[in-house]
Amino acid sequence: MAAGSASHILLTLGPLVLLLVLPQIQAQAPAPAPAGPVNLTGILDKNGQFTTFIKLLISTQVANQIQSQINSSSEGMTVFAPTDNAFNNLEKGLLNNLDNQKQVQLVLYHVTSKFYRQNDLLLVSNPVRTLASGQDVWGLNFTGQGNQVNVSSGVVETPINNVLRQNFPLAVYQVDKVLLPEELSAAKSPSAAPAPEGKKPTEGSNKKVPAASEPAPADDNTGAGGRLNAGLGFVAGLALLCMGVLS
């Protein structure tokens, strides 16, 4: 009888004891650490083969701009990261010939101001504006089917081969070619060369060539004197002839 009473008491008090002890146990358990800010260069560095792109992000200070927007934007961002081999395959000297402003534009051209999952890229309205877009579109075009997505700048087209990150607010995709816009590409048709200047006249060539001298008009006085002398000679000859006949 006593044993039954004890069991009844334990069954009755057991739930009460748990209700008292459980909150204390939960309070002692460590809370999960809050998620830290998304770090684009850290993601690229962890995956390797993006050294050149990381250097460009830092030297142009675009990394700071992107980092700030990633952690404050409600739309998120998408980055298309060219590999080191992609930069090595550029025309020799092309990257170094870009001034700082154009290098900034090149990096921003690889970033959109909206988060896109890979499948979403097939549903967008082309061209998709990038952070380099201003009065000019500087957009990207996406095509493909199924799990295959291609991205094109109008000059360069390449498939998206690897997903480095696809969690909001940042998606990062590997591309094996640098996405050169037409405005920065060496493939852009060169502007027409200026017409060569006309040959400058040599010294003295502007001088007017004198016209051939015209024959001077005959002197009227000289002509009249000649006619007079001829008349006198004729009269004298006639007189001599007559004298010879009379004699």
Side-chain angles (χ1 to χ4, degrees):
M1 184 73 178
S5 298
S7 299
H8 180 71
I9 292 172
L10 289 174
L11 291 173
T12 303
L13 295 178
L16 295 175
V17 172
L18 290 175
L19 289 174
L20 293 173
V21 174
L22 188 59
Q24 296 180 1
I25 295 175
Q26 291 176 340
Q28 293 176 359
V38 179
N39 187 334
L40 173 59
T41 55
I43 294 169
L44 296 173
D45 185 57
K46 180 180 178 180
N47 284 275
Q49 67 179 341
F50 297 101
T51 303
T52 304
F53 191 51
I54 292 173
K55 287 181 178 179
L56 278 174
L57 284 166
I58 295 173
S59 65
T60 59
Q61 299 184 0
V62 172
N64 294 334
Q65 176 184 344
I66 294 176
Q67 198 65 37
S68 175
Q69 290 185 239
I70 288 174
N71 295 294
S72 62
S73 171
S74 60
E75 295 291 330
M77 305 185 82
T78 302
V79 177
F80 302 94
T83 62
D84 291 333
N85 284 337
F87 282 101
N88 291 337
N89 290 331
L90 286 175
E91 181 180 342
K92 186 177 180 180
L94 188 149
L95 187 61
N96 291 333
N97 289 336
L98 298 179
D99 58 27
N100 185 70
Q101 180 182 355
K102 290 181 179 178
Q103 289 187 4
V104 170
Q105 290 175 316
L106 178 62
V107 176
L108 292 178
Y109 187 65
H110 288 74
V111 186
T112 71
S113 58
K114 187 174 181 179
F115 172 83
Y116 291 105
R117 295 187 179 277
Q118 188 171 5
N119 291 337
D120 295 337
L121 294 172
L122 295 177
L123 305 176
V124 298
S125 177
N126 290 320
V128 175
R129 296 176 70 86
T130 66
L131 292 187
S133 299
Q135 293 181 349
D136 298 326
V137 176
W138 287 68
L140 295 172
N141 296 287
F142 297 92
T143 57
Q145 58 183 357
N147 295 326
Q148 180 63 58
V149 181
N150 300 322
V151 55
S152 171
S153 68
V155 174
V156 175
E157 182 173 1
T158 184
I160 295 175
N161 291 325
N162 190 19
V163 178
L164 305 181
R165 177 190 166 93
Q166 199 172 213
N167 297 322
F168 187 85
L170 177 65
V172 183
Y173 302 108
Q174 172 185 322
V175 289
D176 292 334
K177 292 183 180 180
V178 178
L179 302 175
L180 283 175
E182 185 179 357
E183 291 80 359
L184 301 180
S185 173
K188 184 179 179 183
S189 300
S191 56
E197 296 181 2
K199 184 178 180 180
K200 295 183 178 180
T202 57
E203 184 178 357
S205 62
N206 287 333
K207 293 181 179 179
K208 186 177 179 180
V209 178
S213 56
E214 299 177 358
D219 190 336
D220 289 344
N221 294 330
T222 303
R227 290 192 296 270
L228 178 59
N229 291 336
L232 292 175
F234 176 74
V235 171
L238 183 58
L240 291 174
L241 179 61
C242 292
M243 289 175 65
V245 171
L246 292 176
S247 61

